[in-house]
Amino acid sequence: MAVTSKISFILSAIITVLLFSGMQMYKSWLISSKLHIVFGGYIGSLVFLFLLTALGNLESILFGKSFQMKLFPEVFMSLAVSLVASGLIHRVATTTCFLFSVVTLYYINRISQETYSTVVPPVTVHTKKKK
């Protein structure tokens, strides 16, 4: 079920804050083993995803539905915040957060292209062959 941009902005912002605060509350658990550190990086990439969604919806509310997010400043700002959030946990979590976030960004772009791009069918030209 689809929600409006306002509701999506509110939900994404709340989830971002909850993930960030959860990372800080469970910091000692997240650094207790190598697998938990990687999991901390994954949670950081979720912070990236939801923060990017919140920024996109906020811009959609403020500037209209036709406004598009760009690599700079929206994506870089979301990535920087998520990397700082992961960096507060562990240095390796920052690296894994970056890797997971790049993969997430690739799939977000791919889904966006499939959903919103207008594909013009190629023009075929029929010519008669001479015998």
Side-chain angles (χ1 to χ4, degrees), residues 37-115:
I37 292 171
V38 173
F39 182 64
Y42 176 72
I43 295 173
S45 72
L46 291 178
V47 169
F48 167 74
L49 172 69
F50 287 111
L51 185 60
L52 189 64
T53 303
L55 283 175
N57 286 316
L58 180 64
E59 289 176 344
S60 175
I61 293 167
L62 296 176
F63 304 124
K65 293 283 184 190
S66 63
F67 191 81
Q68 294 180 355
M69 290 193 305
K70 296 176 183 54
L71 191 60
F72 183 79
E74 295 91 1
V75 174
F76 281 149
M77 189 173 78
S78 299
L79 186 61
V81 169
S82 66
L83 290 176
V84 167
S86 297
L88 292 173
I89 302 299
H90 196 273
R91 290 179 295 186
V92 176
T94 305
T95 305
T96 57
C97 174
F98 178 76
L99 296 174
F100 285 132
S101 296
V102 168
V103 170
T104 301
L105 187 62
Y106 169 75
Y107 282 107
I108 289 172
N109 186 35
R110 189 169 147 196
I111 291 169
S112 175
Q113 291 297 322
E114 290 173 1
T115 305

Side-chain angles (χ1 to χ4, degrees), residues 4-22 46-58 61 81:
T4 63
S5 293
K6 290 179 184 179
I7 300 297
S8 180
F9 166 69
I10 293 169
L11 290 174
S12 298
I14 289 171
I15 292 172
T16 301
V17 170
L18 287 175
L19 285 171
F20 181 80
S21 62
L46 291 178
V47 169
F48 167 74
L49 172 69
F50 287 111
L51 185 60
L52 189 64
T53 303
L55 283 175
N57 286 316
L58 180 64
I61 293 167
V81 169

